[in-house]
């Protein structure tokens, strides 16, 4: 199913992001996570590609498993900055061969010393995919601005090009301050970008996340998050509970504000996904008219 159909059927689309096991690891390592995620019934699962720039991504392999073995719609990520057009074409063909209908078109992070590819920006990848395949193409957006852009207005102008080239929905970078996100949505809508946008929420449940992925994205840390971290960083059980509560509170507020969807960065942690979903699913069902 194309994800654009989900946005037509539902007021709120609810999804998770996972990453594939490493190339030398057994792919079955992720089966237990997928079995638990299947019970939670997300609308779709997105699968990262080549994080860190490796071309040995197992995205297609995992997308097939998610679709065929677990009956969940996959959204396959695809980056372009470190690949030739031929490599991108081959990656797309692999996805088409296994029946994937949805791709998240990304530029990817520049790797020092890597030869420049045929694509400079995600907008060019979007245009290419739409010209050769009948697929839904999603894009990334950045509520605090992409780190490389001079300012948020310039970043939104660039995003408009990407959307005009054929993006049917956007998934946001993680953020912790809903007021900033809601202001960003206003700016995006004023710029004439009308496609659905899912809010990207990463539950901060492990101390290592703050110095790892959160630092990498440059996300602003509200004082509430800093206090939570300072108090519980050395107490894993309490940080887990506090992180789940913070993410739940964030989602409830976003649902109250009428967002199009929630995309949870679960870091392959099905326990966190289940706990948060138990908290917010009744509200999402109500908004979608399911109960
Ligand atoms: P673009 O949309 O191309 O934007 C990149 C920068 O270029 C921005 O600063 C933008 O303002 C600027 N720009 C765009 N168009 C123009 C133009 N015409 N002229 C001048 N400047 C322009 N990375 C991975 O490696 N694998 C993944 O699976 C992955 N998944 C992600 C999922 C989400 C939801 C998000 C938010 C990010 C993900 N990333 C992933 C990270 C992403 O690859 C990086 O953030 C990357 O630096 C930018 O990718 P993009 O597609 O947003 O790029």
């Amino acid at each position: 199913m194309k994800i654009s159909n989900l946005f037509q059927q539902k007021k709120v689309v609810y999804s998770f992001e996972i990453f594939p096991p490493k190339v030398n690891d057994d792919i079955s390592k992720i089966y237990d996570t997928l079995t638990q995620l299947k019970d939670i019934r997300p609308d779709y699962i997105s699968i990262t590609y080549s994080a860190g720039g490796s071309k040995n991504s197992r995205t297609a392999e995992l997308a097939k498993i998610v679709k065929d073995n677990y009956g969940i719609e996959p959204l396959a990520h695809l980056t372009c900055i470190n690949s030739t057009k031929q490599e991108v074409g081959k990656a797309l063909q692999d996805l088409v061969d296994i029946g994937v209908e949805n791709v998240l078109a990304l530029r990817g992070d520049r790797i020092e010393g890597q030869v420049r590819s045929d694509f400079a920006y995600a907008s060019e990848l979007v245009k290419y995919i739409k010209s050769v395949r009948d697929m839904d193409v999603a894009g990334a957006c950045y509520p605090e601005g992409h780190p490389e852009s001079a300012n948020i207005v310039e970043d939104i102008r660039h995003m408009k090009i990407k959307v005009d080239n054929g993006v049917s929905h956007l998934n946001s970078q993680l953020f912790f301050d809903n007021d900033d996100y809601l202001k960003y949505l206003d700016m995006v809508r004023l710029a004439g970008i009308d496609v659905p946008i899912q809010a990207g929420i990463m539950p901060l449940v492990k101390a290592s996340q703050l110095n790892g992925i959160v630092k990498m994205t440059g996300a602003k840390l509200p004082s509430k998050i800093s206090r939570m971290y300072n108090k519980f960083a050395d107490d894993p059980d309490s940080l887990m509970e506090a992180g789940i509560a913070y993410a739940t509170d964030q989602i409830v507020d976003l649902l109250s504000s009428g967002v199009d969807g929630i995309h949870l960065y679960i870091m392959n942690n099905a326990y966190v996904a289940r706990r948060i979903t138990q908290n917010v699913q009744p509200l999402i069902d109500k908004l979608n008219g399911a109960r």
Side-chain angles (χ1 to χ4, degrees), residues 10 28 39-41 54 71 88 90 99 114 121 145 147 190 201 216 222 229 245 247 255 269 271 273 287:
K10 298 190 167 206
S28 66
D39 289 343
I40 312 174
R41 292 185 296 109
S54 146
V88 168
K90 163 82 173 69
Q114 193 95 4
Y121 302 110
L190 272 172
I201 301 297
M216 200 175 88
Y229 182 81
L255 294 174
N269 189 329
Y271 172 76
L287 288 166

Side-chain angles (χ1 to χ4, degrees), residues 143-162:
E144 297 172 40
H146 184 269
E148 285 168 35
S149 60
N151 56 61
I152 203 147
V153 172
E154 184 188 284
D155 198 36
I156 292 174
R157 284 201 183 117
H158 294 147
M159 199 169 80
K160 173 93 167 72
I161 302 172
K162 184 158 74 175

Side-chain angles (χ1 to χ4, degrees), residues 28-99:
S28 66
K29 214 179 142 188
I30 200 164
Y31 289 180
D32 181 44
T33 301
L34 290 174
T35 303
Q36 294 182 60
L37 295 184
K38 186 183 176 192
D39 289 343
I40 312 174
R41 292 185 296 109
D43 288 316
Y44 71 85
I45 289 182
S46 86
I47 304 156
T48 63
Y49 183 84
S50 291
S54 146
K55 286 182 194 164
N56 270 337
S57 189
R58 304 177 88 177
T59 309
E61 184 184 1
L62 186 54
K64 181 171 165 51
I65 291 167
V66 166
K67 192 175 174 72
D68 294 349
N69 301 8
Y70 294 88
I72 305 170
E73 200 57 50
L75 168 64
H77 296 202
L78 180 61
T79 64
C80 61
I81 189 74
N82 300 307
S83 310
T84 62
K85 200 173 217 170
Q86 205 184 4
E87 287 167 333
V88 168
K90 163 82 173 69
L92 266 182
Q93 184 64 53
D94 290 346
L95 294 174
V96 170
D97 287 347
I98 57 173

Side-chain angles (χ1 to χ4, degrees), residues 113-238:
Q114 193 95 4
V115 182
R116 229 22 208 313
S117 96
D118 299 313
F119 305 92
Y121 302 110
S123 56
E124 295 168 13
L125 177 61
V126 174
K127 195 174 190 175
Y128 172 69
I129 300 174
K130 292 307 279 186
S131 70
V132 295
R133 298 288 172 193
D134 175 25
M135 294 173 118
D136 259 17
V137 182
C141 67
Y142 300 82
E144 297 172 40
H146 184 269
E148 285 168 35
S149 60
N151 56 61
I152 203 147
V153 172
E154 184 188 284
D155 198 36
I156 292 174
R157 284 201 183 117
H158 294 147
M159 199 169 80
K160 173 93 167 72
I161 302 172
K162 184 158 74 175
V163 172
D164 288 348
N165 282 355
V167 162
S168 46
H169 90 266
L170 292 159
N171 281 355
S172 96
Q173 182 60 283
L174 65 94
F175 63 92
F176 297 106
D177 187 327
N178 285 358
D179 287 343
D180 285 352
Y181 181 72
L182 296 171
K183 274 185 220 144
Y184 173 73
L185 283 188
D186 286 345
M187 286 191 273
V188 168
R189 297 312 183 203
L190 272 172
I193 296 171
D194 293 326
V195 296
I197 304 178
Q198 280 183 261
I201 301 297
M202 176 176 282
L204 186 58
V205 293
K206 284 192 179 161
S208 57
Q209 278 172 283
L210 199 68
N211 285 324
I213 187 129
V214 174
K215 203 171 193 177
M216 200 175 88
T217 62
K220 185 177 114 188
L221 295 179
S223 43
K224 246 173 142 181
I225 283 274
S226 303
R227 281 195 294 271
M228 181 181 103
Y229 182 81
N230 291 340
K231 186 79 178 170
F232 299 123
D234 296 330
D235 175 355
D237 291 347
S238 299

